[in-house]
Amino acid sequence: MDELLSVSVGAAFVGGDRPVLRENIDDLSKMVEEADVLLREKGRDDVEGFGWINLPYQDLSETIKIGRWLSGFEAIVQIGIGGSALGNRMLAKALLPPFYNELDASVRKAPKFYLLENPDPKTAVSLLDRLDLSKTAFIVVSKSGSTTETAAHFLWAWQKVREKIGERASDNFLIITDPRKGILRKFAKSTGCRSLNIPESVGGRYSVLSSVGLATASALGINIEKLVQGAKEMDQRLVLRSHLWENPAWLLACINLLHAKAGRNMAVMMPYGDDLADFAEWFAQLWGESLGKEGYGTTPVRALGAIDQHSQLQLYAEGPDDKLITIIDVKNRPLFLLPDVVDIDALKDLEFLYGKALGDLLSIEARSTASALVKAGKPVIYLNIPEVSERYIGALVFFYEYVTALVGFLMKINPFDQPGVEQGKRYIYSLMGRRGYEEYVKEVEEYFGACQNTEIII
Ligand SMILES: O=P(O)(O)OC[C@H]1O[C@H](O)[C@H](O)[C@@H](O)[C@@H]1O
């Protein structure tokens, strides 16, 4: 059987005054088995939060149909934030060619793709100004249907498109939201614009393999069947690995838990290659929101090889011993051979690069960084995927969703809620004057007052 990914965990075990040893893992064996059973039982019952585990088995026909419709536009703009955008960003970066929007339309063969996430007026205004709104589709994505940033962008875009093409505006909008609840679902029903469901049991940060991530991916020519197939294969292989030392996801969950307990409270995610840059970004939300509660959790740190070798590596190697570092390498990359510039004597000292492949250089750098960190006594997990393509990205996504949920169970917290974020959302509503949230204004005054305490102006 060909591999979906490989994980080397040997260098994750460290001695010293805060050791994490192989025998500590064995003590967790029963706990992790029980966590897996619970996860799968609740998944089968489609309990709220657990539905992502069923996404590899979904029927994709409706999403593909909508994707085909979207692909007829000149540009598509996804409006969403957090779990309603980061997965799309990750898929696009990994699976579309570099500088995608700048490619000639005949090469691209699919619409340009933009995301409106942050409510920064400069971005929103300049994006809408440069698009032909009559030929642009807006995909408004929100599980709750009421996230302020998304609602603000949506109102702005809706009004702009209406000004341009009048009541036909609804033909340029796709709503992706809860099947029954929320303002956006009401809007879709009342205007008749197209819509897709986010399954009720799937939370935002676990939704990339639902319509949230797949509708735009499909429109952009990403093979979503292969993506989901990769996730399915990963799930099926994990099910068969019923022994802790054979199951890479169980091992990673245990190792992460043990390092957290040993005071290594940061999880550095350092993939190599620009195409995986937003994987670390997507992981950061998944990990941070799922595990950071009740005083638990480790802080996800996004890094990118090789760039962060020249920025963060000094800190990782010789700074405080508070990090577990995961390096993701890719086995097969385009090689791209460097030229031999033998005729210029001044370049003679660079001859070690002549004829070498840029793709190999990235991998050599990944291995060198891992080695330097191990030499410095820091714990490292070395993960390898065969290549950056749909099947392996689908598998990797499912793998990390599963690992994250398991760590949550081992920490005995709920990996599927985000009560700390909801508080901030209530405060935003109150300050923006939303009906029903008036009571929070006083709280914000009190707490923000504390932030402003001892202000020094220069
Ligand atoms: O999809 P939405 O309901 O608009 O939510 C978007 C984001 O909102 C909040 O910040 C939550 O903490 C995130 O988990 C969620 O992904």
Side-chain angles (χ1 to χ4, degrees), residues 80-85 141-150 198 203-205 285 289 418 421-422 425:
I81 199 163
S84 294
V141 188
S142 175
K143 178 74 193 297
S144 62
S146 56
T147 300
T148 309
E149 296 85 345
T150 303
I198 307 174
R205 57 186 174 273
Q285 185 205 13
E289 276 196 342
Q418 57 280 336
V421 181
E422 302 303 339
K425 280 190 167 184

Side-chain angles (χ1 to χ4, degrees), residues 7-12 251-252 255-256 259 324-328 370 379-383 400:
V7 185
S8 306
V9 297
L251 274 178
L252 281 206
I255 288 169
N256 273 284
H259 281 288
L324 171 62
I325 300 141
T326 300
I327 288 178
I328 301 188
V380 175
I381 291 165
Y382 190 75
L383 194 149
Y400 267 101

Side-chain angles (χ1 to χ4, degrees), residues 27 52 61 73 206 284 297 323 348 373 429 456:
D27 300 339
W52 57 272
S61 49
F73 286 88
Y206 292 83
K323 301 168 198 68
K348 203 168 175 352
L373 289 167
Y429 290 148
I456 296 130

